[in-house]
Amino acid sequence: MVRPKWIAALLLALVVAAGFAWLGQWQLERAVESGHVVEHSTEHVLPLNSVGRVNSAPTTDGEGQLVHTRGTFAPQDYGMLADRLNNGAAGYWVIARFTPSDPDVKGRTAQLAVARGWAPTEERAEAAIARLKAQTPQAVTLVGRLLPSEAPAAPAAGPDPFLMKEMSVASLVNRWHGIGDSDIYSSYLVEHGAVPAGLQPIYSPPPVEQTTVNWLNIFYAAEWALFAGFAIFLWYRVVKDAWEKQREDAEAEYEAALAAWSGAAPAEGAAPADDIAPARDAAERVAPGADASVPSAAEAEAEAEPSAPSNSSHEPN
């Protein structure tokens, strides 16, 4: 890794990774720039029929919108919701059915669920309901915030299985009296302004503005980050492969030298006999701690040659 060519290759990989990282950052900036805040002018009071929908899911434009309408409350359809929070305090909602005087967008009579106020205890909620039921129905102008209906839930086990906790229009329709074939507003209204006696206003702030995110740009940014990491990994993989190849070649050269020393036939691709001395030198470089008792090539050849007869042995005079 510290050889000049691999250091140069590392610098090149770092440059490529830096380019990929810059592209990823650019994609993140694009994701933020292309996102936009979903804004609704919910605090401008509009007619109920301009945003309210009947017999269908409410639109996003009407969610949290302040609306006004004129009509009457149905005394027989007052009710109560349990476990409702109001500024963090648990209590009860007093709810009612409201019939607008003006027809809906289809020209028909429609019914609207309304949350009129909040009480800290069940007793105070029931007392307020009793007073409201005793009043003579009369036309009133209603102002409030339009909110989407909550999902219905199965009644919980307890002393009152009919006690509701969710402001579900679908559940309320089954409890209302004398609505016939009237249309039903899909949203419910939280009443604003003066609330009935014995109740407190329900805290209903404007909806929080939401920012959309361009997920495609975020996906591209993650891809560029992976590419940057892969550039560094590729350099490491190439260096490691070169190192492993060098070790394999050195081991093969060492094994060929050992085979030549032992007098064995050289393996296929091994060095020829004339190259024994260079092979020995290479083997000693690979394994400097090899056994010193292994004879050199010259010693092995000297031992193999038969000794010549001596001329100094008892020759006749």
Side-chain angles (χ1 to χ4, degrees):
M1 291 181 176
V2 296
R3 292 182 179 178
K5 65 175 182 178
W6 297 127
I7 294 178
L10 175 60
L11 294 176
L12 177 61
L14 291 176
V15 170
V16 173
F20 290 159
W22 178 83
L23 290 173
Q25 183 180 3
W26 177 75
Q27 289 290 352
L28 286 177
E29 292 176 354
R30 288 283 300 166
V32 174
E33 291 174 358
S34 59
H36 63 278
V37 179
V38 180
E39 297 180 353
H40 303 294
S41 57
T42 58
E43 303 313 291
H44 179 66
V45 183
L46 301 176
L48 172 62
N49 288 330
S50 65
V51 293
R53 299 291 182 268
V54 293
N55 306 329
S56 62
T59 62
T60 306
D61 294 338
E63 184 176 341
Q65 178 66 50
L66 288 178
V67 298
H68 68 86
T69 184
R70 188 169 179 81
T72 57
F73 285 101
Q76 71 274 23
D77 285 331
Y78 273 97
M80 180 174 55
L81 297 182
D83 297 336
R84 304 299 298 194
L85 296 178
N86 196 41
N87 268 335
Y92 297 82
W93 276 10
V94 173
I95 59 176
R97 174 172 64 88
F98 184 83
T99 305
S101 303
D102 297 331
D104 59 19
V105 294
K106 297 181 179 180
R108 295 163 50 89
T109 300
Q111 309 297 328
L112 176 66
V114 178
R116 302 211 62 185
W118 178 87
T121 62
E122 183 178 0
E123 291 76 14
R124 293 181 61 176
E126 290 177 345
I129 291 174
R131 288 192 294 270
L132 292 170
K133 286 183 175 181
Q135 295 177 359
T136 302
Q138 57 183 351
V140 296
T141 298
L142 185 65
V143 177
R145 192 177 301 281
L146 202 63
L147 297 176
S149 174
E150 299 175 1
D160 187 3
F162 297 101
L163 183 63
M164 294 180 59
K165 297 183 179 181
E166 297 79 19
M167 190 63 168
S168 171
V169 175
S171 298
L172 292 174
V173 169
N174 297 322
R175 297 172 177 241
W176 289 343
H177 302 83
I179 61 174
D181 59 349
S182 299
D183 290 337
I184 307 297
Y185 282 97
S186 304
S187 304
Y188 70 93
L189 192 78
V190 176
E191 185 175 356
H192 283 202
V195 297
L199 299 178
Q200 300 178 20
I202 297 174
Y203 178 66
S204 179
V208 179
E209 295 180 349
Q210 299 178 351
T211 303
T212 60
V213 178
N214 192 329
W215 290 104
L216 184 61
N217 289 108
I218 292 180
F219 175 75
Y220 288 153
E223 280 190 334
W224 286 120
L226 292 176
F227 292 159
F230 181 76
I232 304 299
F233 173 77
L234 181 62
W235 170 83
Y236 167 76
R237 184 71 257 182
V238 171
V239 175
K240 186 177 180 181
D241 289 344
W243 175 68
E244 291 178 348
K245 179 65 169 56
Q246 181 179 350
R247 289 196 59 185
E248 291 175 357
D249 293 343
E251 289 176 358
E253 190 177 3
Y254 176 67
E255 291 176 357
L258 287 181
W261 292 340
S262 60
E268 183 179 355
D274 293 342
D275 296 336
I276 292 179
R280 174 177 174 243
D281 295 339
E284 290 177 351
R285 287 196 302 270
V286 174
D291 189 359
S293 62
V294 178
S296 64
E299 293 174 350
E301 292 178 357
E303 291 179 359
E305 293 178 356
S307 53
S310 175
N311 295 326
S312 61
S313 58
H314 306 285
E315 295 180 356
N317 293 330

